[in-house]
Structures are given as structure tokens and as C-alpha cells.
């Protein structure tokens, strides 16, 4: 994520690192999340770190948790154990009740450790309909794109969006949040009780 984004759709992001785009996207999404009774937390992996523990959702608290995430770290020699990061996530999800939306901001490039799709499948089997993986993708190669799409497709409630589109378009951000955070059943809204933001 420290490397410059090489997406093909919009040249305006040339030279901007994927982690900078991910952080900006998280800030923009947080602006649109309504203040409803759910919990939220902000974490990173590679390395795993808690920036904001799971707590009743507060827009300001989530912004404060996102702010210190570094975007200028050294990329050389830094590996991305995405599967291990998802295992760390399992420790958080296991302590939550109700339905949980896991929003991953990632390029899908897992280059160390266990298979992230396999770990996500295990979590999906373990939690069933209680967990929904959604991916904000900054993939700029075929393998990363494959991993991101496979994770997002694991559950009926999973969502997938290109990070660059979310950055450019508020309507796209609104549609992604509607997909990732709510179930609509007979015109009633079912609110997710936990939101886990994870960056790689």
C-alpha cells in the first residue's frame, strides 16, 4: 500500500500512494455514516495495531482513530501478511454480538504468511450470516483484484468497490455504505451492530 497507485481508470491518482488513497477514502466514508446505535473500531495489519477500539460509534472518534495512520512509511522490505491480519481480526470479531460489517481497505497484495481468502472463508464458516466482508479495493494487479473480489463474494451481504471511484464520487460512497452497513427487509432497516475498519 506504500507504493504509488497504478490504477488505469483515472490518471489523477498517478504518484499517490495506495495507503494515502485508502486513508482519504476512510475519512470520506466516515463523513457519511449516520449516527446510529452501532459500534465501530479502526485497526491496521502489517503490522496489526488497534487505532480505535470497538466502542459506540462516534464520527469524531473514528476520525481521530484514522488520523495517526502513517502514509509515509518505508516500503522496502515491508511484507504484507494479509491472512495473519485477518486472523488478528478474528480475535476482535469473536468478542462482538450481532451482525458485523468488516470493511477492508486493501490492494489485496498478500506476500507473506497464510492465504487471506482461506482465512476469510474460515471466518465466514465460523460466523455465518453474522459477518459481512466488504472490500474497498486499491488493487492495481490481477492477483490483488482476484483476492479482493473473492473475499467480498464470500457472503450474501458482502460488497465490493473500487477505492478510486469512492474517492471521486459521493454517490458511489453512499451506495457502498448502503450496501455494506444495512439490510433492507420489507422496507425496514436492520442496523449492523459493529463496524470494523481494517487497513493493510
Amino acid at each position: 500500500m506504500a507504493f504509488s497507485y497504478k490504477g488505469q481508470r483515472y490518471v489523477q491518482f498517478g504518484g499517490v500512494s495506495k495507503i494515502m488513497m485508502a486513508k482519504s477514502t476512510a475519512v470520506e466514508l466516515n463523513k457519511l455514516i449516520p449516527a446510529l446505535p452501532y459500534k465501530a473500531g479502526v485497526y491496521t495489519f502489517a503490522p496489526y495495531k488497534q487505532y480505535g477500539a470497538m466502542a459506540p460509534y462516534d464520527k469524531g472518534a473514528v476520525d481521530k482513530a484514522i488520523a495517526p495512520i502513517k502514509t509515509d512509511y518505508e516500503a522496502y522490505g515491508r511484507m504484507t501478511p494479509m491472512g495473519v491480519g485477518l486472523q488478528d481480526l478474528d480475535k476482535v470479531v469473536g468478542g462482538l454480538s450481532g451482525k458485523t460489517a468488516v470493511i477492508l481497505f486493501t490492494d489485496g497484495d498478500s506476500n507473506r504468511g497464510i492465504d487471506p481468502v482461506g482465512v476469510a472463508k474460515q471466518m465466514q464458516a465460523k460466523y455465518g450470516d453474522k459477518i459481512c466482508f466488504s472490500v474497498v479495493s486499491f488493487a492495481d494487479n490481477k492477483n490483488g483484484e482476484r483476492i479482493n473480489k473473492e473475499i467480498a463474494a464470500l457472503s450474501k451481504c458482502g460488497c465490493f468497490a473500487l477505492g478510486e471511484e469512492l474517492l471521486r464520487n459521493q454517490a458511489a460512497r453512499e451506495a457502498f455504505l448502503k450496501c455494506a452497513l444495512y439490510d433492507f427487509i420489507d422496507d425496514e432497516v436492520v442496523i449492523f451492530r459493529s463496524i470494523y475498519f481494517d487497513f493493510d
Side-chain angles (χ1 to χ4, degrees), residues 103 141 155:
I103 302 175
N141 63 57
S155 58

Side-chain angles (χ1 to χ4, degrees), residues 28-84:
E28 292 303 314
L29 286 172
N30 189 45
K31 289 178 183 176
L32 299 173
I33 295 175
L36 294 170
Y38 32 52
K39 293 182 179 179
V42 179
Y43 301 78
T44 60
F45 54 95
Y48 176 82
K49 183 176 178 180
Q50 175 183 287
Y51 282 82
M54 296 301 296
Y57 174 72
D58 177 83
K59 196 176 297 290
V62 171
D63 274 338
K64 188 175 179 181
I66 293 169
I69 295 174
K70 291 185 177 181
T71 59
D72 60 351
Y73 53 83
E74 177 61 48
Y76 181 76
R78 187 180 173 109
M79 305 302 278
T80 305
M82 190 174 174
V84 175

Side-chain angles (χ1 to χ4, degrees), residues 85-143:
L86 288 173
Q87 284 183 328
D88 290 329
L89 160 69
D90 192 12
K91 298 168 191 168
V92 176
V93 173
L96 301 174
S97 61
K99 203 163 187 178
T100 300
V102 178
I103 302 175
L104 298 170
F105 297 79
T106 179
D107 62 6
D109 280 337
S110 180
N111 52 19
R112 181 179 181 190
I114 55 181
D115 172 35
V117 177
V119 175
K121 282 180 180 176
Q122 290 172 356
M123 291 176 67
Q124 192 70 57
K126 181 177 179 181
Y127 299 110
D129 290 340
K130 285 181 60 178
I131 192 168
C132 298
F133 287 103
S134 292
V135 177
V136 179
S137 178
F138 297 92
D140 53 8
N141 63 57
K142 296 285 187 189
N143 186 56

Side-chain angles (χ1 to χ4, degrees), residues 2 11 13 18 39-40 52-53 60 71 102 110 135 149 162-163 165 176:
V11 294
F13 296 118
K18 292 178 270 188
K39 293 182 179 179
T71 59
V102 178
S110 180
V135 177
K149 286 184 175 178
L162 296 176
E165 289 186 0
F176 176 76

